[in-house]
Amino acid sequence: MLKEVTMYTVVCDNCGADSNEGGEYSCWTDGETAKEHAMNSEWIKEGNNHYCPNCFTYDDDDKLVINLERSKPINQ
């Protein structure tokens, strides 16, 4: 039998990178675990958006700077 199930991953709101790409797991059974895994992999959450480590830095005033050159349309 084949059964469809819902799984979760975190995708960068700037470039579309998947937080699990190249990892041991491709997704998680609940959203909180997916978010926790991303945060433990140096991702950040700003408001409702998640950003991979390649898409953000902090300026001299510790303000978040998003690298818009990496921005790609995300298919939803």
Side-chain angles (χ1 to χ4, degrees):
M1 175 196 323
L2 179 64
K3 180 179 178 182
E4 182 178 334
V5 296
T6 300
M7 301 294 282
Y8 300 88
T9 190
V10 176
V11 175
C12 179
D13 285 291
N14 188 51
C15 73
D18 186 322
S19 65
N20 294 304
E21 189 173 329
E24 187 174 338
Y25 298 98
S26 63
C27 54
W28 303 92
T29 57
D30 65 275
E32 289 306 311
T33 301
K35 288 188 252 182
E36 182 179 311
H37 174 75
M39 298 305 110
N40 289 335
S41 298
E42 300 181 14
W43 284 54
I44 63 164
K45 180 178 180 198
E46 181 70 23
N48 291 324
N49 295 325
H50 294 87
Y51 299 104
C52 73
N54 295 321
C55 283
F56 73 91
T57 57
Y58 291 96
D59 67 13
D60 292 335
D61 296 322
D62 288 328
K63 291 186 180 184
L64 180 65
V65 177
I66 303 302
N67 182 350
L68 298 178
E69 290 179 11
R70 292 182 47 83
S71 184
K72 296 180 184 172
I74 298 174
N75 297 332
Q76 296 186 8

